[in-house]
């Protein structure tokens, strides 16, 4: 058995070199797509800003200063202040944390769930497929924001429940995609060969089918991220997402709405942040799809 | 070795039902190379998939090595029969190295596995040990087919099902693969069932063959029968005539 | 290239020094190297294994290669005029109407959402300008000419309702509508069953001979090419290794051609072991002697 482990270890090191090579090739493809590179850069900068928010933020995002409410953008407050005198730029930086955290949590929740359900449905077929796909149909039939609203209303408002609600409505398209991919892979000769040497269904699913489904799932999830940002902001705006006083872009627009006519910056800056971020995720998703499409290689 | 009695296979129900196999019976001796020829849609691949356990819905009786085969087989029952597929591009998992492709069957069968066993399997099919770390897209069609043969043989089967193993290859590569298959059969005392549309290839590989048409066996021939035009069924005659060199009408 | 063309003075197609390279700079790969041949009113077989450049040749003549490919030729004369320098607009005139192409799989060449009759009809309107009743009679005539038994019925069918052999007949009919001078057929029968293959070859033979069309028949099948073609070009790694009349294929001189012939199993000559082709690196050498990829 030690020999076998050695073999696997040596295979592992060459595998690492091989994946590095793959990654390099992939980057070569990705790099040619200008919007994708820009989008990726924006997202990376955003992640950097969000992690370094406590250092970068000029003010405490919760610090109210009733002496300087609704100040227009100035050298002191680059993005102005809101109705409680809090620095909007600092709140945007901290809000990025909330937004990115929500997006990442939802993605990490739905990708494995959608993948498992879709692949099982596609591989086993028959009644398993029927039951799972009808469930998916039911979820797809409900408008996602409304379902999320009902969910949050039932569980109570808050960032965690917003994540759950969004995940609850976002997995069915992933499952659909995974099922379609599985159906085309299932009939391959290498799957027949695996069945003939007696590989178990679980082994076939996770060792053979899932790795081939992953690229399209990653693309799909990246494209959905733009939507998650909007949904998160939407829930925040309706007062069902992250609760005040915590900084969240949607909530910030919601409060800014009341004073928007005279003090545009209170709502405009969070709006621009949402626009840029969701646009970036879309551009990255598009570029990923192009780079991973075997027809372009 | 293999006895097939009155095998039928039906897809679908009622009016839209298709019957790729319609009462096929034959007997294959141990150590024999048995050929099945016919055109696309005649049911030859379906028959192979029934024997291999890839089809579940067949009716009739199949026995391998004296014991009757049920519709769903256990892993250790699957080991006895292995298969080599037609398309060298679809036969290997695109993200698995050759080494992984050969480790997996051993793992699934709970057999001892080591680099030595994998390298031995590679050298058996005429590939150097360095192929262990390669990916399918780095191999030529002939090399992929060699890996597929190694994968089939690594679990030590008694019967190997060959589904048009060389029809997607160039003739020069076909010769190498056919030679390799003949050598391995002698060396390991294997039983082959070869499905092909190419009469010359089948006659070269097999001592005995059957001609199939629309889900039925129409005639059984020996290689010599085929060469000496000793056949009776009109369909066999048509097939042989069509396979001969095209001669201009003028 | 010597010793061909007995029947006509001006060949339909005359190719001199045709080169195709994929990519640019140092990474460029030569797919075709310095190819020269003439095509008359004959069936010219281009025979080679995968990667020999035989399909690239067919597409290079029509300039149907991907953008990363560069085509260069000393001369590429079609009926006396040089298409080597023809613009894309001029090539559009030539493709389909002057030089037709038949591909391996009709499944991918026919529009799945359109009735067979209407697909041929498009070609009829485009090339002959016929409309209405005139058009339909012409379509039925075309279907009849490729020996489709019930043209009226087939006219109404969709591509998924017909067999591969029937699809290939329809492809031939569509190609013939424009009355081209040359047809390039790239493995037209490889996807078909042997019995169907024979009928299709007979049909192609008959039509091409009767209309005096020059046929370039690209195939990997030596036996087929020997029986069907008049003259053969044997290709290997982007070059023509040997040119010979099809009838004397069994007397081929080049060791590659001989090796290919010997490596085929034969019904009439059973052997224990098939002779294996040993590739000589010298076959890859250029005419001027340098070794190339």
């Amino acid at each position: 058995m030690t020999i076998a482990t050695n073999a696997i270890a040596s295979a592992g090191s060459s595998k690492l070199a091989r994946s590095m090579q793959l990654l390099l090739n992939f980057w070569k493809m990705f790099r040619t797509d200008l919007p994708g590179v820009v989008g990726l850069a924006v997202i990376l900068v955003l992640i950097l800003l969000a992690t370094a928010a406590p250092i970068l933020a000029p003010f405490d995002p919760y610090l109210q200063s009733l002496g300087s409410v609704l100040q227009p953008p100035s050298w002191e407050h680059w993005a102005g202040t809101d109705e409680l005198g809090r620095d909007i730029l600092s709140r945007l930086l901290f809000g990025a944390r909330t937004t990115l955290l929500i997006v990442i949590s939802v993605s990490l929740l739905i990708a494995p769930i959608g993948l498992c359900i879709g692949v099982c449905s596609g591989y086993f077929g028959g009644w398993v497929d029927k039951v799972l796909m009808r469930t998916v149909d039911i979820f797809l039939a409900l408008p996602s924001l409304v379902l999320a609203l009902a969910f949050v209303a039932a569980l109570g408002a808050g960032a965690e429940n917003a994540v759950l609600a969004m995940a609850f409505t976002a997995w069915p398209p992933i499952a659909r995609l995974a099922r379609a991919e599985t159906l085309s892979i299932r009939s391959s000769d290498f799957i027949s060969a695996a069945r003939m040497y007696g590989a178990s269904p679980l082994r076939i699913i996770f060792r053979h089918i899932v790795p081939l489904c992953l690229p399209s799932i990653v693309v799909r999830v990246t494209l959905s991220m733009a939507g998650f940002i909007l949904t998160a902001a939407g829930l925040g705006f309706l007062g069902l997402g992250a609760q005040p006083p915590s900084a969240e872009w949607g909530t910030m627009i919601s409060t800014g709405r009341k004073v928007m006519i005279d003090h545009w910056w209170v709502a405009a800056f969070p709006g621009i942040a949402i626009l840029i971020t969701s646009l970036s995720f879309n551009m990255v998703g598009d570029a990923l799809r192009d780079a991973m499409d075997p027809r372009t290689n | 070795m293999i006895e097939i009695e009155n095998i039928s296979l039906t897809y679908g129900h009622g009016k839209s039902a298709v019957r790729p196999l319609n009462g096929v019976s034959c007997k294959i001796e141990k150590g024999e190379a048995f050929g099945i020829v016919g055109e696309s849609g005649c049911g030859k691949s379906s028959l192979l998939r029934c024997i291999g356990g890839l089809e579940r819905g067949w009716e009739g009786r199949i026995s391998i090595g004296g014991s009757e085969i049920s519709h769903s087989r256990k892993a250790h029952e699957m080991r006895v029969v292995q298969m080599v597929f037609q398309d060298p591009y679809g036969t290997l998992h695109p993200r698995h190295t050759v080494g992984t492709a050969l480790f997996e069957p051993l793992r699934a069968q709970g057999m001892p596995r080591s680099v030595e066993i994998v390298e031995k399997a590679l050298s058996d099919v005429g590939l150097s040990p360095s192929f262990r770390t390669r990916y399918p897209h780095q191999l030529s069609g002939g090399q992929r087919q060699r890996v597929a043969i190694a994968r089939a043989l690594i679990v030590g089967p008694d019967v190997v099902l060959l589904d048009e193993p060389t029809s997607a290859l160039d003739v020069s590569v076909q010769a190498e693969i056919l030679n390799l298959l003949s050598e391995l059969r002698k060396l390991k005392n294997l039983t082959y069932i070869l499905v092909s549309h190419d009469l010359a290839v089948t006659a070269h590989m097999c001592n005995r063959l059957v001609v199939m048409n629309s889900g039925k066996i129409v005639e059984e021939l020996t290689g010599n029968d085929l060469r000496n035009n000793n056949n009776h069924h009109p369909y066999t005659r048509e097939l042989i005539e069509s396979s001969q060199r095209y001669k201009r009408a003028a | 290239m010597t010793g061909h063309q007995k029947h006509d003075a001006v060949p339909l197609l005359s190719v001199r020094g045709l080169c195709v390279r994929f990519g640019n700079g140092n990474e460029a790969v030569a797919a075709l190297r310095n190819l020269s041949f003439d095509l008359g009113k004959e069936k010219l077989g281009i025979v080679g294994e995968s990667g020999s450049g035989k399909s690239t040749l067919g597409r290079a003549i029509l300039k149907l290669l991907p953008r990363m490919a560069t085509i260069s030729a000393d001369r590429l004369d079609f009926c006396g005029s040089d298409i080597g320098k023809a613009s894309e607009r001029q090539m559009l005139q030539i493709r389909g109407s002057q030089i037709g192409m038949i591909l391996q799989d009709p499944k991918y060449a026919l529009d799945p959402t359109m009735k067979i009759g209407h697909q041929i009809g498009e070609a009829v309107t485009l090339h002959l300008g016929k409309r209405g009743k005139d058009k339909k009679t012409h379509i039925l005539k075309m279907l009849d000419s490729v020996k489709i038994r019930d043209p009226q019925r087939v006219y109404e069918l969709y591509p998924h309702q017909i067999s591969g052999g029937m699809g290939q007949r329809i492809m031939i009919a569509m190609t013939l509508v424009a009355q081209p001078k040359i047809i390039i057929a790239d493995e037209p029968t490889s996807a078909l069953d042997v019995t169907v293959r024979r009928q299709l070859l007979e049909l192609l033979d008959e039509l091409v001979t009767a209309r005096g069309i020059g046929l370039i028949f690209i195939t990997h099948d030596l036996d087929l090419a020997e029986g069907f073609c008049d003259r053969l070009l044997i290709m290997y790694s982007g070059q023509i290794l040997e040119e010979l009349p099809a009838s004397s294929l069994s007397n081929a001189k080049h060791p590659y051609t001989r090796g290919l012939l010997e490596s085929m199993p034969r019904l009439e000559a059973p052997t224990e072991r098939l002779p294996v082709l040993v590739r000589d690196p010298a076959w890859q050498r250029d005419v001027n002697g340098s070794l190339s990829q």
Side-chain angles (χ1 to χ4, degrees):
Chain A
M1 250 22 247
T2 50
I3 309 167
T5 1
N6 282 344
I8 289 156
S10 78
S13 72
S14 76
K15 209 165 198 165
L16 189 76
R18 179 74 209 142
S19 352
M20 288 306 291
Q21 184 60 42
L22 261 175
L23 213 66
L24 205 74
N25 287 346
F26 174 72
W27 171 242
K28 268 189 191 158
M29 282 298 302
F30 189 88
R31 178 171 77 172
T32 56
D33 193 312
L34 186 67
V37 174
V38 171
L40 188 68
V42 170
I43 291 169
L44 287 178
V45 167
L46 206 71
I47 291 173
L48 213 71
L49 289 178
T51 33
I55 307 165
L56 292 174
F59 295 90
D60 182 342
Y62 306 113
L63 183 73
Q64 303 183 4
S65 142
L66 294 175
S68 55
V69 289
L70 295 170
Q71 301 263 318
S74 64
W75 282 115
E76 201 190 352
H77 301 283
W78 288 8
T81 59
D82 65 7
E83 75 283 0
L84 294 172
R86 296 174 297 194
D87 180 50
I88 290 180
L89 180 65
S90 306
R91 286 182 68 77
L92 280 179
L93 286 173
F94 277 87
R97 295 183 135 192
T98 322
T99 303
L100 288 176
L101 221 60
I102 289 180
V103 168
I104 291 167
S105 318
V106 173
S107 305
L108 288 181
L109 270 176
I110 61 162
I113 294 175
L115 192 64
C116 283
I117 290 181
V119 170
C120 288
S121 176
Y123 182 74
F124 292 109
W127 64 266
V128 177
D129 185 34
K130 283 205 181 88
V131 170
L132 289 176
M133 277 306 116
R134 288 304 81 78
T135 318
V136 165
D137 285 343
I138 291 168
F139 277 93
L140 280 175
L142 298 166
S144 59
L145 192 65
V146 175
L147 194 63
L149 278 177
F151 206 80
V152 172
L155 291 178
E160 298 81 13
N161 289 341
V163 167
L164 282 181
M166 284 163 67
F168 199 67
T169 56
W171 67 267
I174 308 287
R176 267 286 168 90
L177 179 67
R179 175 177 177 267
E181 292 273 318
T182 307
L183 284 179
S184 71
I185 298 166
R186 188 179 67 162
S187 54
S188 312
D189 286 344
F190 56 83
I191 300 296
S192 295
R195 282 171 60 199
M196 288 207 65
Y197 59 64
S200 66
L202 276 184
R203 186 98 185 139
I204 291 177
I205 285 176
F206 287 106
R207 193 90 175 90
H208 296 260
I209 295 178
V210 166
L212 293 177
C213 288
L214 269 181
S216 48
I217 300 290
V218 167
V219 170
R220 178 70 220 221
V221 168
T222 315
L223 282 171
S224 314
M225 282 177 174
F228 300 159
I229 292 171
L230 295 180
T231 313
L235 286 174
F237 182 83
L238 295 171
L240 297 167
Q243 290 303 300
S246 76
E248 201 274 332
W249 295 346
T251 324
M252 286 166 74
I253 296 183
S254 173
T255 50
R257 183 178 53 117
K258 295 167 211 150
V259 294
M260 201 165 66
I261 304 297
D262 301 318
H263 313 281
W264 56 270
W265 58 89
V266 186
F269 284 109
I272 291 169
I274 290 170
L275 176 76
I276 290 175
T277 318
S278 96
L279 193 64
S280 300
F281 275 110
N282 250 335
M283 294 194 298
V284 171
D286 271 337
L288 272 180
R289 186 182 52 201
D290 291 345
M292 281 182 176
D293 189 344
R295 276 166 297 182
T296 56
N297 294 341
Chain B
M1 188 70 209
I2 297 180
E3 277 178 57
I4 295 161
E5 262 175 58
N6 209 13
I7 287 288
S8 294
L9 184 67
T10 315
Y11 292 127
H13 304 279
K15 259 192 189 165
S16 61
V18 205
R19 285 203 103 152
L21 290 177
N22 201 351
V24 171
S25 304
C26 58
K27 221 178 200 174
I28 296 136
E29 303 297 329
K30 187 161 175 55
E32 185 183 22
F34 183 80
I36 304 173
V37 293
E39 298 185 289
S40 55
C42 72
K44 56 190 197 302
S45 290
S46 302
L47 179 59
L48 216 56
R49 292 174 67 85
C50 286
I51 299 170
L54 292 173
E55 296 289 345
R56 296 270 166 88
W58 48 270
E59 301 149 40
R61 213 176 67 88
I62 300 179
S63 77
I64 298 175
S67 57
E68 202 160 315
I69 288 299
S70 68
H71 281 83
S72 58
R73 301 179 201 179
K74 303 255 158 35
H76 68 273
E77 292 173 308
M78 296 293 279
R79 186 191 62 85
V80 183
V81 183
Q82 291 298 312
M83 187 151 162
V84 176
F85 298 88
Q86 172 177 9
D87 176 17
Y89 293 89
T91 195
L92 300 176
H93 193 288
R95 299 275 165 88
H96 288 176
T97 59
V98 170
T100 312
L102 298 179
F103 261 120
E104 283 288 306
L106 294 173
R107 206 196 118 93
Q109 287 296 332
M111 294 166 84
R113 43 191 192 277
S114 68
V115 180
E116 283 71 27
I117 293 173
V118 168
E119 287 181 352
K120 170 79 172 42
L122 283 173
S123 77
D124 279 354
V125 294
L127 295 175
S128 79
S130 66
F131 276 86
R132 199 169 51 82
T133 53
R134 296 210 198 163
Y135 281 86
H137 66 88
Q138 298 167 306
L139 308 180
S140 70
Q143 287 166 341
R144 288 170 204 233
Q145 219 50 340
R146 282 173 193 266
V147 174
I149 294 169
R151 177 182 60 196
L153 295 183
I154 201 164
V155 293
D158 299 324
V159 181
V160 180
L161 309 175
L162 305 165
D163 188 1
E164 306 254 16
T166 60
S167 66
L169 303 174
D170 284 324
V171 281
S172 59
V173 184
Q174 164 171 289
E176 292 170 21
I177 299 291
L178 292 181
N179 284 342
L180 173 71
L181 286 169
S182 300
E183 280 160 28
L184 288 169
R185 183 167 74 91
K186 273 190 211 121
L187 195 72
K188 301 185 185 253
N189 193 24
L190 299 167
T191 308
Y192 280 171
I193 303 180
L194 172 76
V195 155
S196 178
H197 68 277
D198 189 326
L199 286 177
V201 166
T202 318
H204 170 75
M205 293 293 289
C206 306
N207 4 41
R208 217 154 54 86
L209 57 102
V210 289
V211 180
M212 280 186 75
N213 188 20
S214 49
K216 282 189 174 128
I217 290 178
V218 298
E219 191 164 10
E220 186 180 317
L221 300 164
T222 65
N224 278 331
D225 288 341
L226 200 61
R227 272 171 216 121
N228 304 332
N229 239 341
N230 182 16
N231 55 68
H232 306 287
H233 198 278
Y235 178 73
T236 314
R237 212 157 283 168
E238 192 191 344
L239 198 65
I240 293 174
E241 263 165 34
S242 311
S243 304
Q244 273 156 3
R245 222 166 288 189
Y246 177 86
K247 286 279 182 288
R248 264 153 291 179
Chain C
M1 298 296 130
T2 51
H4 47 78
Q5 254 35 40
K6 23 205 183 313
H7 19 291
D8 42 1
V10 180
L12 290 172
L13 185 73
S14 175
V15 178
R16 291 291 175 275
L18 175 65
C19 295
V20 170
R21 297 176 75 78
F22 283 104
N24 40 30
N26 289 331
E27 288 177 19
V29 183
L32 293 181
R33 290 183 279 153
N34 207 11
L35 244 61
S36 300
F37 65 91
D38 286 335
L39 173 76
K41 291 179 177 174
E42 59 177 336
K43 287 167 284 173
L44 175 67
I46 311 274
V47 189
E49 296 188 288
S50 52
S52 63
K54 56 185 195 300
S55 290
T56 311
L57 172 58
R59 281 157 197 278
I61 294 170
L62 284 172
K63 297 201 189 168
L64 277 175
L65 291 168
R67 215 175 296 163
M68 62 195 280
T70 28
I71 307 174
S72 67
D74 299 337
R75 238 174 61 210
L76 196 58
D77 284 358
F78 170 67
C79 294
S81 64
D82 194 354
I83 56 170
K85 292 171 189 70
S87 65
E88 185 58 30
R89 182 178 284 246
Q90 287 166 307
M91 282 314 291
L92 278 175
Q93 293 289 315
I94 293 167
R95 273 181 222 138
S97 57
Q98 306 275 337
I99 308 179
M101 190 149 190
I102 302 170
L103 297 169
Q104 178 173 350
D105 204 334
K107 277 206 188 69
Y108 301 112
L110 292 170
D111 182 342
T113 64
M114 221 170 157
K115 282 180 185 168
I116 299 295
H118 296 172
Q119 300 205 33
I120 303 178
E122 281 206 329
V124 171
T125 311
L126 184 70
H127 295 298
L128 305 176
K130 288 190 178 174
R131 279 172 211 289
K133 215 175 160 199
D134 210 15
K135 174 168 142 188
K136 176 143 187 184
T137 34
H138 194 84
I139 297 167
L140 294 176
K141 208 179 89 195
M142 287 315 294
L143 286 173
D144 188 57
S145 72
V146 291
K147 308 227 165 110
I148 285 173
R149 272 185 218 119
D150 190 353
Q152 283 286 0
R153 189 180 63 89
V154 174
Y155 184 97
E156 299 292 333
L157 294 179
Y158 285 96
H160 69 269
Q161 295 169 306
I162 57 171
S163 66
M166 177 95 81
Q168 209 57 302
R169 278 164 200 265
I170 285 156
M171 287 309 299
I172 293 175
M174 284 173 75
T175 312
L176 288 176
V177 163
Q179 296 165 322
K181 296 196 173 70
I182 296 177
I183 292 180
I184 300 172
D186 192 350
E187 305 265 11
T189 58
S190 307
L192 305 177
D193 277 326
V194 278
T195 46
V196 184
R197 177 179 303 178
R198 164 139 310 211
Q199 295 158 6
L200 200 90
L201 287 173
E202 276 163 12
L203 174 72
L204 201 58
D205 197 351
E206 202 181 300
L207 291 172
V208 164
T209 314
R211 291 164 196 235
I213 294 171
L215 178 71
I216 297 182
F217 191 84
I218 300 168
T219 183
H220 67 280
D221 192 331
L222 276 169
D223 268 358
L224 185 68
E226 179 184 8
F228 182 74
C229 298
D230 302 317
R231 198 156 60 88
L232 301 179
L233 303 178
I234 312 292
M235 284 192 66
Y236 185 79
S237 78
Q239 298 194 98
I240 296 172
L241 277 195
E242 192 169 13
E243 183 199 349
L244 71 175
S247 53
S248 57
L249 179 66
S250 46
N251 305 320
K253 292 198 179 56
H254 200 283
Y256 173 68
T257 320
R258 298 212 61 81
L260 277 187
L261 282 171
E262 280 160 15
S263 64
M264 274 191 285
R266 303 237 171 243
L267 258 185
E268 60 277 8
T271 49
E272 262 304 286
R273 225 188 122 76
L274 295 166
V276 170
L277 179 73
V278 183
R279 285 158 205 273
D280 187 344
W283 300 343
Q284 294 211 348
R285 219 161 295 216
D286 269 357
V287 187
N288 21 2
S290 65
L291 201 68
S292 164
Q293 289 296 318

